[in-house]
């Protein structure tokens, strides 16, 4: 199976704070050519570093109050296109992110509280029928590798 993965999980320094969230299983998939990394925020040309963003009321806001919903949607569409062009059937996404999170995301108060929801890119991928996984819930074929990370 071919995966699209959150670029930060592949070790790329594209997080809002200029860091990454390296996941050994994801890095290995990319190195083996079985996964393609993508960062919707990067594809939308959002700067690194940048203020953190969260969803509230179906929109994406930066901590300083700017509505970045259109930027997030543009980046999500570009990242979806990349996944489809690469024939990806599944995704491994960064949990809780306003782009990549699904199940639970930050609630928009910038207080580290979670609420049910899904990121902008995660929603587009799901709507295309792409299976969603996170670094916290890896695909069964990679399940053994999660134990190595803990």
């Amino acid at each position: 199976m071919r995966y699209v993965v959150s670029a930060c999980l592949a070790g790329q320094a594209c997080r809002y704070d200029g860091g990454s969230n390296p996941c050994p299983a994801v890095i290995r998939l990319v190195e083996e050519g079985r996964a393609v990394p993508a960062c919707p925020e990067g594809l939308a040309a959002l700067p690194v570093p940048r203020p953190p963003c969260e969803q509230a009321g179906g929109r994406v806001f930066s901590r300083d109050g700017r509505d970045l919903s259109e930027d997030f949607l543009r980046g999500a569409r570009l990242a979806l296109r990349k996944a489809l062009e690469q024939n990806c059937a599944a995704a491994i996404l960064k949990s809780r992110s306003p782009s990549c999170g699904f199940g639970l995301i930050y609630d928009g108060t910038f207080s580290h509280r979670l609420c049910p929801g899904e990121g902008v890119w995660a929603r587009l991928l799901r709507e295309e029928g792409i299976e969603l996984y996170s670094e916290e819930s890896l695909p069964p074929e990679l399940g053994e590798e999660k134990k190595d990370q803990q």
Side-chain angles (χ1 to χ4, degrees), residues 4-149:
V4 64
V5 299
S6 295
C8 63
L9 297 178
Q12 294 182 17
C14 55
R15 278 176 40 116
Y16 73 92
D17 61 3
S20 66
N21 296 298
C23 174
V26 169
I27 292 169
R28 194 169 305 112
L29 284 173
V30 172
E31 289 171 348
E32 293 169 355
R34 296 173 52 207
V36 58
C39 176
E41 291 98 331
L43 291 169
L46 292 175
V48 176
R50 60 186 170 271
C53 294
E54 294 186 5
Q55 286 192 41
R59 309 287 298 169
V60 181
F61 296 94
S62 63
R63 179 180 278 158
D64 59 11
R66 289 179 296 142
D67 185 339
L68 298 175
S69 301
E70 293 307 314
D71 296 300
F72 271 70
L73 183 57
R74 183 176 67 255
R77 287 179 175 149
L78 291 169
L80 172 63
R81 182 183 311 151
K82 185 173 186 177
L84 295 174
E85 288 171 352
Q86 294 290 321
N87 298 312
C88 297
I92 304 174
L93 304 176
K94 177 65 187 111
S95 60
R96 300 180 292 280
S97 157
S99 284
C100 304
F102 60 95
L104 293 173
I105 59 172
Y106 290 114
D107 71 357
T109 63
F110 296 94
S111 60
H112 299 302
R113 285 197 304 249
L114 298 173
C115 66
E118 62 186 346
V120 179
W121 187 34
R123 178 179 49 83
L124 294 182
L125 290 167
R126 180 185 51 75
E127 288 172 353
E128 279 294 323
I130 294 175
E131 288 182 76
L132 302 182
Y133 299 95
S134 76
E135 81 283 10
E136 296 174 344
S137 177
L138 292 169
E141 71 180 66
L142 304 177
E144 296 300 310
E145 298 182 38
K146 184 176 184 209
K147 294 175 188 161
D148 296 340
Q149 299 172 40

